[in-house]
Amino acid sequence: RPQVLSSISKDLYVLRRAAEVFQGLVERFAPQQKTDYVALLNEWSIGFYTELDFVNEGRNQEKLRTAMIENNIEGIMVPKVYEDMTTRRVLVSEWMDGVKLSECPPEEIKEITKIA
């Protein structure tokens, strides 16, 4: 989606400001609470931005694909990533015919996710 990075950055800025206010309230009214909510949000944000980097996502997809092939897992396919065409904002992978996991019945998803 165009502008998704900008939109998410603004949302995270608002969340961080709210976390700062919340942290101040916790320190004032519940000093026994030792959680640093601002630091927690900062760490979560780093992971979130990493998820938006499709080069990184492509690497993870290839690791999963390789692991499934090496372990002879059948019936589940992970598309090959075309790394030379993938960028931080575009993930290019092999077209696959079949049923998306999200379209499977819940009991089948539960069984498959044990494997993958």
Side-chain angles (χ1 to χ4, degrees), residues 23-94:
Q23 187 71 48
L25 291 170
V26 167
E27 289 170 1
R28 182 171 179 191
F29 295 109
Q32 72 279 9
Q33 174 62 263
K34 300 299 181 198
T35 303
D36 184 343
Y37 294 99
V38 174
L40 184 64
L41 180 65
N42 287 342
E43 285 301 310
W44 181 82
S45 297
I46 291 167
F48 196 80
Y49 278 117
T50 302
E51 290 294 314
L52 293 174
D53 178 354
F54 290 127
V55 171
N56 183 62
E57 282 301 294
R59 276 191 229 112
N60 289 336
Q61 184 172 322
E62 277 300 311
K63 285 179 190 176
L64 176 61
R65 182 175 186 275
T66 300
M68 291 180 71
I69 291 168
E70 288 173 353
N71 289 291
N72 299 314
I73 295 173
E74 297 178 2
I76 303 169
M77 303 297 292
V78 177
K80 177 185 180 332
V81 174
Y82 294 103
E83 294 177 17
D84 57 327
M85 292 186 255
T86 296
T87 68
R88 287 188 66 234
R89 294 186 164 198
V90 177
L91 176 61
V92 180
S93 62
E94 162 184 36

Side-chain angles (χ1 to χ4, degrees), residues 2-15:
Q3 306 303 319
V4 71
L5 190 58
S6 174
S7 180
I8 288 172
S9 294
K10 290 173 191 170
D11 290 345
L12 288 174
Y13 173 77
V14 170
L15 280 172

